[in-house]
Amino acid sequence: MAAMKWWGWGHEGVEFTHEDKPALGPFILEAIGVDVRSRGAAPLRFDQLEIPDPALPGDLWEALEQAVSPEFVSLDRLDRLVHARGKSLRDLVWQRAGELPRVPDAVVRPSSEDEVAAILEAAMRFDAVVIPFGGGSSISGSLEAPAVETRPVISVDLERLNKVLEIDADSRLARVQAGVFGPDLEQQLAARGYTFGHFPDSFTHSTLGGWIATRSSGMQSDRYGDIADMTKGLRVVTPSGTLVTRPLPATSTGPSVREMVLGSEGRLGIITEATVHVRRIPDKRVILGYLFPTFSAALVAMRELAASEHSVSVTRVSDANETQFSFAMRVMPSLADKLQSRALRVFLSRKLGWDLNEMCLSFIGYEGSEQHVAAQRRGVGKLVKRHGGLCIGSGPGALYDQKKFDIPYIRDFLLDRGAAGDVSETATTWSNLKPLYEAVTKAASGAFASVGVQGYLMCHLSHSYHAGACLYFTFAFKATSPAAMEAEYEVVKSAIQQAFVDNGATLSHHHAVGTEHAEWLEQDISAPGVAMLEALFNGTDPGQHLNPGKIVGTNHRAGAPVRAARAD
Amino acid sequence: MAAMKWWGWGHEGVEFTHEDKPALGPFILEAIGVDVRSRGAAPLRFDQLEIPDPALPGDLWEALEQAVSPEFVSLDRLDRLVHARGKSLRDLVWQRAGELPRVPDAVVRPSSEDEVAAILEAAMRFDAVVIPFGGGSSISGSLEAPAVETRPVISVDLERLNKVLEIDADSRLARVQAGVFGPDLEQQLAARGYTFGHFPDSFTHSTLGGWIATRSSGMQSDRYGDIADMTKGLRVVTPSGTLVTRPLPATSTGPSVREMVLGSEGRLGIITEATVHVRRIPDKRVILGYLFPTFSAALVAMRELAASEHSVSVTRVSDANETQFSFAMRVMPSLADKLQSRALRVFLSRKLGWDLNEMCLSFIGYEGSEQHVAAQRRGVGKLVKRHGGLCIGSGPGALYDQKKFDIPYIRDFLLDRGAAGDVSETATTWSNLKPLYEAVTKAASGAFASVGVQGYLMCHLSHSYHAGACLYFTFAFKATSPAAMEAEYEVVKSAIQQAFVDNGATLSHHHAVGTEHAEWLEQDISAPGVAMLEALFNGTDPGQHLNPGKIVGTNHRAGAPVRAARAD
């Protein structure tokens, strides 16, 4: 698995394009005033970057080479650069501009838990810092060493720990190494008739260990659960030895150590292996598209669906803005025909009285036996109808399913054109969804206005639970100037995050804390909650060798001091 | 809510009796050699006990009286005695014999979170220990102060915090004070059409806060989830202020603080309030009885049920020994007729070829709309049939449902007759259930033999999950002499617990760690897991004011030193 671009999402040569999407250019021009034909803001070339030489003391270097053999201790400049950060919008802006962070001094690639333990032992012995690295897809600043870090920094890339070790068919559990990427994991399982069923947007470029370390959620969580539900056994190399939690269905052994590792972002140790839920590949799988007259109507329908006896695999509803964006993204003429057909629009507006500007696109997924899927479709169809919704068949859902992992590329596409695009997602109770949505909309509008940009905000409900749901916001704007983008982004992103915690929602549903969300943590989990996390981290890793500064700590904005220095 | 007996389960005057169960006496005589007609081992009378005077410094006393008003600071001897321990078998043996523990110096009863905070503040200021108290039903030693504790000990009884504060109908969440007892909670919710759906064996004598602090599971967890699944928002008074976690459906804010409070047994603070899942009271609710030819066949059926598309509220299967016990417990002649009828027995043995000694009784529960329940019954009926099972209707299930909370009284009934009866429950994967069951059976037999007693071991599967299930063991034996009971119990209980952790299972599925399970904790969650718990507890409560010695610590066997002193 080759690493991602040092300056953007995905592999070199793979990019998002508007050229096969006739309506997208006009849409973007109207939404944020960007002409997609004018690519004006390229990243620096690699040879223009000033990448510092590695500062790796000889005895540490030797110990690392003993731990994993010399060929798997890399001091290569590009390798180190790729491992220096994740893929947050801020990361992309800085990387493209050559504003580099504290680049790790070495990238090591262990092939076994013993090798991971030897790396950690060496790091502790020679007072170095270790940062575990999966796919490098973090958008919360979880992978960057503190700018002020003077100790050697070692990025531990787990890509060689990529095997499904064992499947327990009776227990529907698989024992899997932590460094396996999404597609590889599904392929190894599919060869034996199983699926893990965890499909986050980052799926193609993220790993099992990364999902666990950040409390990831996949698109089919309504059926499969979040990563926290699916992960049972864990093996984690820690400063006091290898933590082993058994693959138990449930246990009452005090505060859950398993739940401490989930979301720990490398601060407690390096996850090497997990025993996770798997399921037989279902006979039937379909995602149906639905249209609702308004976002409010769709939210109520999803709430009733969650409270009903129906079982579905996906619940997703775009608000009106995101619905317009989805329509503008269409490639295939058959879908375009269907959605745009004058007949349908006339029917919806004249016969049903819909305001087409308020219309919302929804996807609901079904999985299982033919009979089960048929029964759920029927039942859900009636529920949708009661809320004024309309089924538009499986075409849009199939297209969504096929294109869903392309979305992260759009940020690079926009940056190439001087515009910022990013996401903020949260979760709250059903009763608070609409008030929260309105508060965030207002906060974003205010932020766009305050920095004088034409912004666009859109949103979808992406995961449903008993008591509430995830709202996933996407925003974009054209910066007033390239130099102003970062500050303007900061204002908009902060306004949205602040609206989350000010209105009873969480700072993130599944993107973790890292450094970029850390300033809102106390407002989310309260000061005693932060104190408990600090007690856990400081007691487990008193020397701060494990990915210091993430989640809690004194260095919430890892990049800030470097930027300040450069501004002088 | 009056407190339980100081010497046994439930309220004074309520007892278990064999007199309305004609087959029980002969069964017990055959199983463990106890003649139920001979009551020979009564507890001491209250006036025979030597209860130490409270040692409460005047300034602390004053501060507590200021915190909750004088009438809610109790120094009463009986009150303090009832709060000194839970209801483990060991607790009962010692209490009955007048071997008292470190009795608390005061019992305080706050009526608000502010009062709880004032109590904790006073305890910290005057270097006292606080032990939160719900229903006092712990069977793991979670409520007893360390025998060596020289500081003042305050039991904080939360019974006045007993209100459902708010129901959010759209989100199906209720905000509830932590001290509410099970029946009161259900009554308050039922008045508005809701149920919590959490029914542990201890239901009548345990509280919401206690369930959360010990990671409780109820009998209908297959539908409602364990307490960890049902508890979303929390308010906990801690040494650094009030911890507040929001009632979020999901979040990725680092290691889960919510999951740290779950199972914390008072070591992180005092839980005052929780926001929990509730559901509308279902239209239809039924528990059906089934018979299976063998325990193995029934376990495979339950495994397939868990992997199927059916949804049920209860899955329970007794092994052959527990099935025999259940039949011996029958009161109602109509049921006796049915189960004992010569016709049925002849049919099962002659026509179906069953060995009636291997036969297993199972209960499967269904809840929801009439249509849903009917569909599930049909589908599950076919599944059961494929595994040789036979539905015996709703009579036995209704009886089980009605009598389920009487079981804890049986331990007192046996102690009155010189016999010990107790439980050990665990959880493991589906593939490991049968090997574990056999290992525990062997371990218990070995232990009974080694101490020279006639013992009886029985078991049921009580909660099903994706990857495994809970096995709930009950054992009983007649001690060789009253003085030997405690040592003999220790051998048997330890052998069973050791078999759990030696065979890939957990030390407890839903009875927590306390002091009595603490010696197996490291074997369950590994040494680094214990280190993480210690980091959390020591960092959060460096002065060890919060229920010290529970889960981890140097004082795993709270009662031991007192006993040693008495033996001198």
Side-chain angles (χ1 to χ4, degrees), chain B residues 422-485:
Chain B
D422 201 20
V423 297
S424 274
E425 34 69 68
T426 186
T428 192
T429 57
W430 288 111
S431 62
N432 194 40
L433 276 188
K434 198 69 202 305
L436 176 72
Y437 174 73
E438 281 158 8
V440 172
T441 303
K442 194 176 161 195
S445 298
F448 291 141
S450 79
V451 294
V453 298
Q454 183 190 350
Y456 196 77
L457 178 78
M458 59 192 196
C459 174
H460 63 267
L461 175 153
S462 65
H463 307 257
S464 291
Y465 301 87
H466 173 106
C470 168
L471 285 185
Y472 196 115
F473 293 88
T474 303
F475 59 93
F477 65 90
K478 185 177 180 182
T480 56
S481 74
M485 181 188 284

XYZ file of all heavy atoms in Angstrom, chain B residues 422-485:
476
model
N -24.422 -20.179 46.133
C -23.952 -18.900 45.583
C -23.865 -18.994 44.062
O -24.114 -20.055 43.470
C -22.599 -18.522 46.175
C -22.307 -17.020 46.048
O -23.266 -16.240 45.873
O -21.135 -16.641 46.118
N -23.490 -17.875 43.454
C -23.450 -17.786 41.994
C -22.106 -17.234 41.529
O -21.435 -16.503 42.254
C -24.571 -16.865 41.475
C -25.932 -17.449 41.814
C -24.442 -15.455 42.050
N -21.734 -17.616 40.310
C -20.588 -17.037 39.605
C -20.989 -16.973 38.146
O -21.387 -17.989 37.581
C -19.350 -17.932 39.734
O -18.628 -17.658 40.897
N -20.890 -15.803 37.573
C -21.289 -15.692 36.172
C -20.159 -15.116 35.347
O -19.296 -14.405 35.848
C -22.571 -14.882 36.029
C -22.748 -13.778 37.008
C -21.769 -12.661 36.794
O -21.879 -11.979 35.761
O -20.880 -12.467 37.651
N -20.181 -15.436 34.080
C -19.079 -15.054 33.213
C -19.606 -14.865 31.799
O -20.806 -15.035 31.541
C -17.976 -16.130 33.256
O -16.845 -15.679 32.504
C -18.458 -17.439 32.653
N -18.728 -14.506 30.888
C -19.102 -14.434 29.479
C -17.920 -14.873 28.641
O -16.763 -14.667 29.028
C -19.507 -13.008 29.088
N -18.217 -15.486 27.527
C -17.162 -15.856 26.587
C -17.769 -15.975 25.193
O -18.961 -15.743 25.003
C -16.447 -17.149 27.030
O -15.250 -17.308 26.254
C -17.340 -18.371 26.849
N -16.931 -16.292 24.221
C -17.384 -16.398 22.834
C -18.257 -17.635 22.638
O -18.172 -18.596 23.398
C -16.169 -16.491 21.901
O -15.378 -17.617 22.289
C -15.321 -15.243 21.991
N -19.048 -17.618 21.580
C -19.891 -18.781 21.289
C -19.060 -20.050 21.149
O -19.429 -21.105 21.665
C -20.679 -18.558 19.986
C -21.786 -17.563 20.110
C -21.841 -16.321 19.547
C -23.019 -17.706 20.845
N -23.018 -15.679 19.892
C -23.758 -16.511 20.687
C -23.556 -18.727 21.634
C -25.017 -16.311 21.267
C -24.801 -18.529 22.218
C -25.517 -17.343 22.036
N -17.926 -19.955 20.471
C -17.137 -21.168 20.229
C -16.548 -21.720 21.524
O -16.225 -22.895 21.611
C -16.020 -20.894 19.215
O -15.140 -19.918 19.726
N -16.412 -20.862 22.520
C -15.797 -21.294 23.776
C -16.812 -21.664 24.852
O -16.432 -22.078 25.943
C -14.876 -20.165 24.301
C -13.941 -20.632 25.396
O -13.399 -21.736 25.323
N -13.765 -19.822 26.421
N -18.093 -21.523 24.577
C -19.099 -21.749 25.633
C -19.050 -23.184 26.168
O -19.031 -23.414 27.367
C -20.511 -21.483 25.109
C -21.027 -20.048 25.097
C -22.505 -20.057 24.722
C -20.826 -19.345 26.425
N -19.069 -24.139 25.255
C -19.136 -25.542 25.697
C -17.840 -25.957 26.399
O -17.911 -26.542 27.494
C -19.470 -26.451 24.505
C -19.983 -27.830 24.886
C -21.360 -27.775 25.514
C -21.687 -28.999 26.388
N -21.550 -30.299 25.716
N -16.651 -25.668 25.811
C -15.414 -25.996 26.534
C -15.358 -25.327 27.911
O -14.939 -25.951 28.887
C -14.307 -25.445 25.619
C -14.913 -25.391 24.255
C -16.374 -25.153 24.452
N -15.801 -24.089 27.988
C -15.784 -23.397 29.275
C -16.720 -24.086 30.263
O -16.363 -24.332 31.424
C -16.214 -21.934 29.105
C -16.318 -21.177 30.427
C -14.950 -20.897 31.005
C -17.104 -19.883 30.260
N -17.907 -24.397 29.785
C -18.898 -25.075 30.640
C -18.307 -26.361 31.202
O -18.438 -26.655 32.402
C -20.145 -25.358 29.804
C -21.201 -26.168 30.499
C -21.986 -25.611 31.498
C -21.421 -27.502 30.156
C -22.965 -26.355 32.145
C -22.395 -28.262 30.786
C -23.171 -27.686 31.783
O -24.125 -28.417 32.419
N -17.619 -27.116 30.347
C -17.043 -28.385 30.807
C -15.904 -28.154 31.791
O -15.772 -28.872 32.794
C -16.581 -29.214 29.599
C -17.781 -29.901 28.938
C -17.559 -30.295 27.482
O -16.415 -30.179 26.997
O -18.555 -30.695 26.839
N -15.102 -27.145 31.539
C -13.990 -26.848 32.447
C -14.502 -26.418 33.821
O -13.951 -26.814 34.855
C -13.110 -25.758 31.841
N -15.561 -25.619 33.836
C -16.104 -25.158 35.114
C -16.735 -26.331 35.866
O -16.577 -26.471 37.085
C -17.122 -24.014 34.893
C -17.828 -23.668 36.192
C -16.429 -22.795 34.308
N -17.445 -27.170 35.126
C -18.062 -28.340 35.752
C -17.002 -29.209 36.414
O -17.150 -29.652 37.568
C -18.820 -29.157 34.680
O -19.788 -28.296 34.066
C -19.515 -30.351 35.290
N -15.906 -29.403 35.694
C -14.810 -30.224 36.221
C -14.163 -29.554 37.436
O -13.882 -30.212 38.445
C -13.776 -30.425 35.106
C -12.775 -31.513 35.381
C -11.849 -31.725 34.184
C -10.592 -32.461 34.650
N -9.525 -32.389 33.656
N -13.949 -28.252 37.343
C -13.322 -27.522 38.449
C -14.190 -27.581 39.703
O -13.687 -27.784 40.814
C -13.074 -26.072 38.047
N -15.496 -27.419 39.519
C -16.398 -27.445 40.677
C -16.428 -28.849 41.290
O -16.359 -29.000 42.517
C -17.801 -27.005 40.265
N -16.516 -29.870 40.451
C -16.507 -31.244 40.967
C -15.248 -31.493 41.777
O -15.293 -32.073 42.872
C -16.539 -32.259 39.814
O -17.704 -32.112 39.082
N -14.119 -31.070 41.218
C -12.844 -31.250 41.910
C -12.832 -30.535 43.249
O -12.357 -31.083 44.252
N -13.386 -29.343 43.266
C -13.394 -28.567 44.506
C -14.307 -29.206 45.549
O -13.946 -29.325 46.724
C -13.840 -27.137 44.222
N -15.503 -29.634 45.115
C -16.414 -30.320 46.047
C -15.708 -31.538 46.662
O -15.747 -31.770 47.865
C -17.688 -30.782 45.326
C -18.608 -29.665 44.887
C -19.269 -29.733 43.660
C -18.855 -28.576 45.701
C -20.136 -28.730 43.249
C -19.725 -27.553 45.290
C -20.363 -27.635 44.061
N -15.045 -32.301 45.790
C -14.366 -33.519 46.260
C -13.233 -33.175 47.210
O -13.049 -33.826 48.248
C -13.850 -34.316 45.058
N -12.491 -32.124 46.875
C -11.302 -31.819 47.683
C -11.668 -31.400 49.102
O -10.881 -31.585 50.020
C -10.453 -30.750 47.002
O -11.017 -29.466 47.212
N -12.848 -30.795 49.266
C -13.243 -30.430 50.639
C -14.214 -31.436 51.232
O -14.683 -31.273 52.362
C -13.833 -28.999 50.704
C -12.778 -27.974 50.364
C -15.037 -28.853 49.801
N -14.519 -32.488 50.461
C -15.332 -33.584 50.996
C -16.785 -33.230 51.216
O -17.390 -33.620 52.215
N -17.374 -32.456 50.286
C -18.795 -32.131 50.417
C -19.556 -32.662 49.204
O -18.979 -32.896 48.143
C -19.042 -30.603 50.518
C -18.363 -30.036 51.765
C -18.579 -29.884 49.263
N -20.866 -32.854 49.407
C -21.729 -33.218 48.293
C -22.241 -31.916 47.674
O -23.039 -31.209 48.275
C -22.912 -34.066 48.779
C -23.811 -34.524 47.644
C -25.106 -35.164 48.165
O -25.242 -35.426 49.358
N -26.039 -35.413 47.252
N -21.751 -31.595 46.507
C -22.100 -30.314 45.899
C -23.000 -30.476 44.694
O -23.134 -31.557 44.125
N -23.645 -29.377 44.335
C -24.509 -29.352 43.147
C -24.138 -28.103 42.365
O -24.023 -27.014 42.936
C -25.977 -29.292 43.581
C -26.958 -29.641 42.481
C -27.167 -30.975 42.121
C -27.695 -28.659 41.822
C -28.091 -31.315 41.121
C -28.615 -28.991 40.830
C -28.810 -30.323 40.485
O -29.717 -30.658 39.500
N -23.926 -28.281 41.061
C -23.614 -27.144 40.198
C -24.626 -27.111 39.082
O -24.923 -28.149 38.464
C -22.208 -27.284 39.610
C -21.780 -26.165 38.643
C -21.371 -24.906 39.408
C -20.633 -26.625 37.742
N -25.177 -25.943 38.813
C -26.095 -25.819 37.686
C -25.793 -24.509 36.969
O -25.072 -23.650 37.487
C -27.542 -25.891 38.156
C -27.951 -24.841 39.152
S -29.574 -25.251 39.878
C -30.000 -23.659 40.584
N -26.327 -24.371 35.773
C -25.894 -23.268 34.912
C -27.004 -22.880 33.942
O -27.801 -23.724 33.531
C -24.665 -23.739 34.133
S -24.064 -22.593 32.879
N -27.065 -21.603 33.605
C -27.886 -21.212 32.462
C -27.186 -20.160 31.619
O -26.390 -19.368 32.121
C -29.276 -20.726 32.887
C -29.296 -19.490 33.731
N -29.311 -19.522 35.109
C -29.314 -18.178 33.403
C -29.343 -18.278 35.584
N -29.339 -17.442 34.570
N -27.472 -20.208 30.355
C -27.092 -19.119 29.460
C -28.140 -18.023 29.676
O -29.347 -18.297 29.628
C -27.108 -19.599 28.008
C -26.855 -18.561 26.907
C -26.251 -19.266 25.689
C -28.120 -17.836 26.479
N -27.673 -16.784 29.917
C -28.645 -15.760 30.318
C -28.690 -14.525 29.432
O -29.637 -13.749 29.538
C -28.370 -15.322 31.750
O -27.122 -14.679 31.821
N -27.684 -14.276 28.629
C -27.665 -13.092 27.770
C -26.924 -13.467 26.496
O -25.815 -13.991 26.584
C -26.913 -11.918 28.415
C -27.370 -11.557 29.798
N -28.164 -10.465 30.049
C -27.134 -12.131 30.995
C -28.396 -10.380 31.351
N -27.781 -11.388 31.945
N -27.498 -13.181 25.368
C -26.846 -13.500 24.094
C -26.370 -12.225 23.403
O -27.050 -11.199 23.442
C -27.822 -14.212 23.152
O -28.125 -15.488 23.629
N -25.225 -12.338 22.746
C -24.644 -11.226 22.001
C -24.214 -11.718 20.616
O -24.232 -12.915 20.355
C -23.415 -10.683 22.733
C -23.679 -10.201 24.128
C -23.641 -11.087 25.206
C -23.963 -8.872 24.389
C -23.880 -10.645 26.499
C -24.190 -8.421 25.675
C -24.159 -9.306 26.732
O -24.388 -8.871 28.002
N -23.767 -10.782 19.787
C -23.213 -11.150 18.482
C -22.189 -12.283 18.611
O -22.276 -13.282 17.916
C -22.547 -9.910 17.862
C -21.794 -10.167 16.595
N -22.253 -9.790 15.355
C -20.596 -10.765 16.367
C -21.382 -10.154 14.422
N -20.366 -10.734 15.021
N -21.220 -12.098 19.494
C -20.047 -12.982 19.491
C -20.009 -14.004 20.608
O -19.089 -14.810 20.671
C -18.769 -12.133 19.548
N -20.985 -13.989 21.496
C -20.916 -14.922 22.611
C -22.090 -14.734 23.559
O -23.099 -14.131 23.199
N -21.924 -15.243 24.765
C -23.034 -15.222 25.711
C -22.512 -15.245 27.137
O -21.330 -15.485 27.389
C -23.943 -16.420 25.471
N -23.421 -14.994 28.049
C -23.147 -15.108 29.484
C -23.533 -16.496 29.965
O -24.627 -16.970 29.656
C -23.949 -14.050 30.238
S -24.003 -14.276 32.041
N -22.662 -17.147 30.705
C -23.025 -18.381 31.413
C -23.094 -18.062 32.895
O -22.143 -17.507 33.465
C -21.999 -19.492 31.170
C -22.028 -20.175 29.807
C -21.032 -21.346 29.781
C -23.418 -20.673 29.428
N -24.213 -18.423 33.487
C -24.495 -18.056 34.876
C -24.558 -19.348 35.692
O -25.493 -20.132 35.542
C -25.836 -17.314 34.897
C -26.127 -16.527 36.150
C -26.238 -15.146 36.118
C -26.329 -17.169 37.366
C -26.525 -14.411 37.266
C -26.612 -16.451 38.512
C -26.702 -15.067 38.458
O -26.988 -14.349 39.582
N -23.564 -19.553 36.543
C -23.476 -20.782 37.340
C -24.018 -20.551 38.750
O -23.779 -19.498 39.356
C -22.025 -21.249 37.457
C -21.433 -21.713 36.158
C -20.816 -20.823 35.286
C -21.515 -23.053 35.789
C -20.279 -21.255 34.082
C -20.977 -23.491 34.579
C -20.363 -22.594 33.725
N -24.714 -21.532 39.261
C -25.158 -21.536 40.656
C -24.641 -22.811 41.299
O -24.697 -23.878 40.682
C -26.690 -21.501 40.739
O -27.175 -20.340 40.049
C -27.174 -21.458 42.180
N -24.124 -22.691 42.517
C -23.629 -23.899 43.187
C -24.093 -23.918 44.632
O -24.389 -22.876 45.216
C -22.097 -23.996 43.105
C -21.367 -22.833 43.714
C -20.944 -22.857 45.029
C -21.085 -21.712 42.940
C -20.260 -21.780 45.587
C -20.404 -20.622 43.489
C -19.991 -20.665 44.809
N -24.189 -25.116 45.170
C -24.613 -25.271 46.558
C -23.987 -26.524 47.139
O -23.700 -27.485 46.421
C -26.138 -25.362 46.638
N -23.766 -26.497 48.441
C -23.260 -27.685 49.136
C -23.553 -27.537 50.617
O -23.731 -26.418 51.117
C -21.754 -27.868 48.902
C -20.911 -26.774 49.495
C -20.418 -26.865 50.806
C -20.602 -25.635 48.749
C -19.657 -25.846 51.344
C -19.838 -24.608 49.289
C -19.363 -24.708 50.583
N -23.581 -28.675 51.298
C -23.721 -28.630 52.752
C -22.327 -28.662 53.359
O -21.531 -29.569 53.061
C -24.526 -29.836 53.243
C -24.801 -29.767 54.732
C -25.653 -30.908 55.224
C -25.860 -30.752 56.730
N -26.645 -31.865 57.276
N -22.022 -27.681 54.180
C -20.697 -27.618 54.786
C -20.492 -28.806 55.720
O -21.449 -29.327 56.310
C -20.544 -26.309 55.565
N -19.239 -29.247 55.846
C -18.964 -30.373 56.750
C -19.238 -29.982 58.194
O -19.587 -30.827 59.016
C -17.499 -30.846 56.608
O -16.634 -29.737 56.849
C -17.241 -31.392 55.210
N -19.087 -28.686 58.504
C -19.474 -28.170 59.825
C -19.711 -26.676 59.664
O -19.202 -26.070 58.720
C -18.358 -28.404 60.854
O -17.294 -27.494 60.611
N -20.462 -26.056 60.570
C -20.687 -24.603 60.452
C -19.365 -23.832 60.406
O -19.206 -22.907 59.608
C -21.489 -24.270 61.713
C -22.198 -25.540 62.059
C -21.263 -26.647 61.666
N -18.411 -24.231 61.183
C -17.143 -23.502 61.235
C -16.358 -23.648 59.939
O -15.559 -22.778 59.580
C -16.299 -24.003 62.413
N -16.572 -24.763 59.237
C -15.779 -25.021 58.028
C -16.364 -24.367 56.786
O -15.726 -24.327 55.738
C -15.659 -26.531 57.814
N -17.610 -23.878 56.896
C -18.298 -23.416 55.677
C -17.508 -22.376 54.895
O -17.357 -22.467 53.682
C -19.675 -22.849 56.008
C -20.392 -22.384 54.725
S -21.912 -21.513 55.050
C -22.999 -22.863 55.482
